[in-house]
Amino acid sequence: ARAKGAMGLLSWIGLGGGGDNADGAAATSSSDLMDDKRAIVAKLTDVEKIKHVYHKQLASKYLNELAATVTDKCFVKCYTEAGATDVGEAGCNALCTDRYLDTFEQVRRTIQTRNRR
């Protein structure tokens, strides 16, 4: 009985021994462990896929909001009369957009640098 108990304990902690573990339950085989690992990897892959889709949607939403903000701010600044669009206003809009995006990028880099510290 002692030999059977010792063998079950060895099997239960993964050192072989075969047969039943100390509780009398069947020992976990290495193929069962591999199946468990594959299931975990499959779940992690699904989680990574979900994260990727989420980040992609978040980035798209963020870019749309950024474009709307730039359009609103630069339109108010550059287009003074309804329906009037001349070369000067278009140039103003291009410069305004460039400045806004450059400033935005500088702020993003500064925040990123501070977060690393």
Side-chain angles (χ1 to χ4, degrees), residues 58-103:
L58 189 63
S60 176
K61 179 183 176 205
Y62 188 68
L63 287 175
N64 287 336
E65 289 175 4
L66 178 63
T69 301
V70 169
T71 301
D72 290 345
K73 290 187 182 297
C74 292
F75 185 83
V76 168
K77 180 181 177 190
C78 295
Y79 297 98
T80 55
E81 296 179 25
T85 57
D86 65 7
V87 176
E89 290 172 340
C92 173
N93 189 42
L95 285 172
C96 177
T97 300
D98 286 345
R99 270 191 302 212
Y100 190 90
L101 293 176
D102 288 344
T103 302

Side-chain angles (χ1 to χ4, degrees), residues 105-117:
E105 180 62 20
Q106 183 62 39
V107 169
R108 185 194 64 78
R109 275 190 248 134
T110 301
I111 290 171
Q112 189 176 29
T113 300
R114 288 182 183 173
N115 285 339
R116 287 183 189 158
R117 293 181 191 170

